[in-house]
């Protein structure tokens, strides 16, 4: 039986929401290059977490989770930028920013725990 993995589930759901947001904003004629940046970073979070699950070592795991954390930070940047430019509705922006902030907190906690365990 597969164990419940909250970070995998949340990052997958966020990636899926990001794809749908990309498609919605493309219909609104938002600049494609801006949206591609959001799409790449927003879907990369979950992809790197998935890679971390198959890590070959503790160092490899920490490296992949670190990349996922950086991608989450980048995604937060693009969301704020789109919102502040008036290209993303406030309610939608707040929902996405809340989700990515939650992912960043979970990833930061995983990193801290993993680094502490590696040092022991």
């Amino acid at each position: 039986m597969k164990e419940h993995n909250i970070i995998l589930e949340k990052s997958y759901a966020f990636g899926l929401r990001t794809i749908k947001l990309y498609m919605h904003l493309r219909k609104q004629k938002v600049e494609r290059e801006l949206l591609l940046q959001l799409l790449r970073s927003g879907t990369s979070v979950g992809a790197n977490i998935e890679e971390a699950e198959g890590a070959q070592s503790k160092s490899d795991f920490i490296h992949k989770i670190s990349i996922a954390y950086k991608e989450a930070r980048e995604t937060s940047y693009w969301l704020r930028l789109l919102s502040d430019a008036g290209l993303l509705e406030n309610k939608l922006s707040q929902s996405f920013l809340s989700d990515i902030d939650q992912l960043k907190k979970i990833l930061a906690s995983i990193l801290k725990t993993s680094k502490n365990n590696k040092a022991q």
Side-chain angles (χ1 to χ4, degrees):
M1 184 174 188
K2 188 152 172 116
E3 186 178 317
H4 179 69
N5 189 323
I6 193 75
I7 190 67
L8 280 175
E9 292 172 12
K10 286 185 175 290
S11 62
Y12 183 86
F14 185 83
L16 191 56
R17 281 189 74 206
T18 301
I19 291 168
K20 291 177 181 181
L21 178 62
Y22 169 84
M23 292 169 27
H24 167 73
L25 291 175
R26 283 294 294 147
K27 289 178 186 173
Q28 306 301 318
K29 306 287 189 214
V30 174
E31 175 59 42
R32 186 172 181 267
E33 290 302 316
L34 288 173
L35 296 180
L36 285 174
Q37 293 290 339
L38 174 64
L39 181 65
R40 286 184 190 115
S41 64
T43 56
S44 181
V45 175
N48 279 288
I49 293 168
E50 191 69 43
E51 283 190 49
E53 287 296 305
Q56 296 176 342
S57 66
K58 187 62 120 175
S59 293
D60 188 29
F61 177 83
I62 291 169
H63 177 70
K64 296 297 184 198
I65 293 294
S66 295
I67 292 171
Y69 178 75
K70 290 176 186 180
E71 294 292 340
R73 290 188 57 89
E74 180 181 345
T75 301
S76 181
Y77 170 82
W78 291 115
L79 288 167
R80 289 189 330 269
L81 194 65
L82 288 168
S83 179
D84 291 346
L87 301 172
L88 184 58
E89 303 90 20
N90 190 50
K91 186 176 179 182
L92 196 52
S93 169
Q94 291 308 310
S95 174
F96 270 88
L97 286 168
S98 174
D99 284 354
I100 199 65
D101 284 345
Q102 189 177 41
L103 282 170
K104 287 189 306 188
K105 287 176 185 174
I106 295 169
L107 288 166
S109 177
I110 292 169
L111 277 172
K112 183 178 179 182
T113 301
S114 297
K115 287 178 181 178
N116 286 343
N117 288 342
K118 185 180 177 191
Q120 294 176 355

